[in-house]
Amino acid sequence: MMIKYQNRDQQLIDDAINIVKLGKNLLLKGPTGTGKTRLSENISDSLSAKQYSVNCSVDLDAESLLGFKTIETIDGVQQIVFIDGPVIKAMKEGAILYIDEINMAKPEVLPILNSVLDYRRKLTNPFNNEVVIAQKGFNVIAAINEGYVGTMPMNEALVNRFVAIELKYIDGETLKQVLIDQSILTDEQDIEKMIKLNELLIKMVSQHQISEEVASVRALIDACDLMTIMPFERAIERALVSKLETDREKEAIRQLFELI
Ligand SMILES: Nc1ncnc2c1ncn2[C@@H]1O[C@H](COP(=O)(O)OP(=O)(O)O)[C@@H](O)[C@H]1O
Ligand SMILES: [Mg+2]
């Protein structure tokens, strides 16, 4: 069964699904580990649509979006064939295209998608001159990590083509449910400890003592998993503290141990 994206704000989830259903391009904004990929998978699932993903990185090029030519032997004869990339496949199959970390891409690559993302839903593939018209059901969800190293402000013409939803880290009861569902830790008291730690971390984030990503749900799931093989403090050390860059942040978190 598919793991559900959870949020106290059910309207946020409903809106996300309905916006995509309406045929709008949806931009999910939020720091790493806020559940953007999870939510996108849930949206595709609830629309019974297949999902193709592209992960943007600095070396994302037109080929990784649209496809490439290769040589295949068909009936003993070597022929040049074109292998469709995720964008073309999603268009032809009426699937959902998930563009992850869209603000990591080099600015010159994404304009290829402009005509795909607007009302035209159409593209002339420069590699084989095929005119591709998106089938019904084709929709686009993109994700963006704001302020993350290596990201750039998104091109305005591109942002303009999206409707956006901001995701924040879950906490309290919602987080508890997610940790119960997705970590292998079963001890309720241990899970409570993690919820308590998270509360304190959030407070520190709001006081700018640590960066927001420290309280990533992904890291908290890791910490819970580690607690099945080591004590709380070491689990936190390995899953959260050791990954931090500054000693100031590390010390700030270690001081919380006594409070928990
Ligand atoms: N609101 C949420 N509901 C359910 N799972 C969540 C939620 N937020 C984060 N997670 C879990 O945390 C991990 C990271 O989520 P992911 O979707 O990969 O985050 P992102 O794409 O924003 O970096 C996954 O295991 C995911 O299931
Ligand atoms: Mg993701």
Side-chain angles (χ1 to χ4, degrees):
M1 220 197 68
M2 168 153 298
I3 295 170
K4 280 251 173 302
Y5 168 84
Q6 312 218 27
N7 199 301
R8 246 177 310 184
D9 184 0
Q10 181 60 38
Q11 194 157 69
L12 179 149
I13 302 174
D14 293 343
D15 281 355
I17 295 168
N18 290 328
I19 284 167
V20 176
K21 206 168 167 184
L22 194 65
K24 300 284 179 197
N25 306 312
L26 176 65
L27 181 65
L28 299 176
K29 294 172 79 173
T32 184
T34 35
K36 299 182 293 295
T37 301
R38 181 67 71 200
L39 177 57
S40 165
E41 283 169 355
N42 276 206
I43 295 168
S44 299
D45 189 54
S46 71
L47 299 178
S48 304
K50 188 169 174 178
Q51 178 172 299
Y52 286 97
S53 303
V54 269
N55 195 285
C56 300
S57 60
V58 273
D59 53 42
L60 179 88
D61 52 16
E63 275 93 347
S64 28
L65 292 170
L66 304 179
F68 56 90
K69 280 181 181 157
T70 186
I71 294 173
E72 253 180 33
T73 309
I74 302 168
D75 297 330
V77 185
Q78 290 206 326
Q79 293 184 354
I80 295 174
V81 292
F82 188 81
I83 308 289
D84 286 341
V87 173
I88 307 287
K89 277 191 185 151
M91 291 175 79
K92 286 182 178 174
E93 295 175 29
I96 287 183
L97 175 67
Y98 179 58
I99 311 174
D100 204 2
E101 300 187 89
I102 193 167
N103 54 332
M104 291 284 276
K106 276 190 308 249
E108 61 267 29
V109 180
L110 295 173
I112 300 173
L113 297 180
N114 280 351
S115 65
V116 175
L117 290 169
D118 65 27
Y119 64 93
R120 289 170 282 180
R121 291 288 197 224
K122 186 179 148 176
L123 177 92
T124 305
N125 187 343
F127 298 117
N128 61 357
N129 292 318
E130 182 183 14
V131 178
V132 183
I133 296 164
Q135 294 303 299
K136 194 168 169 290
F138 171 76
N139 279 302
V140 180
I141 303 172
I144 155 173
N145 278 339
E146 277 181 313
Y148 202 61
V149 192
T151 62
M152 349 191 169
M154 242 172 103
N155 171 294
E156 223 170 282
L158 196 63
V159 180
N160 203 265
R161 289 169 159 77
F162 284 90
V163 169
I165 287 185
E166 284 180 286
L167 300 188
K168 295 194 162 52
Y169 291 122
I170 47 169
D171 58 11
E173 280 304 307
T174 320
L175 176 62
K176 187 173 168 186
Q177 197 52 52
V178 165
L179 295 179
I180 291 170
D181 290 347
Q182 296 183 48
S183 85
I184 54 175
L185 184 65
T186 50
D187 187 307
E188 185 139 354
Q189 259 183 327
D190 283 347
I191 290 185
E192 285 295 348
K193 258 188 187 172
M194 203 61 71
I195 302 296
K196 179 78 193 149
L197 173 77
N198 182 62
E199 256 168 45
L200 297 168
L201 291 175
I202 289 174
K203 211 167 280 168
M204 289 169 76
V205 170
S206 70
Q207 293 162 353
H208 306 287
Q209 288 177 278
I210 54 171
S211 59
E212 193 176 24
E213 293 79 20
V214 178
S216 154
V217 177
R218 199 182 278 124
L220 295 171
I221 294 172
D222 282 340
C224 284
D225 287 346
L226 291 186
M227 275 180 84
T228 62
I229 54 164
M230 60 180 78
F232 177 73
E233 289 186 15
R234 231 161 69 223
I236 300 305
E237 189 71 31
R238 307 260 185 267
L240 276 80
V241 178
S242 297
K243 297 194 291 187
L244 296 171
E245 307 253 318
T246 68
D247 289 337
R248 197 177 54 85
E249 282 183 303
K250 289 182 183 178
E251 264 322 302
I253 294 179
R254 287 189 190 116
Q255 276 169 13
L256 296 179
F257 291 160
E258 279 147 51
L259 294 170
I260 301 165

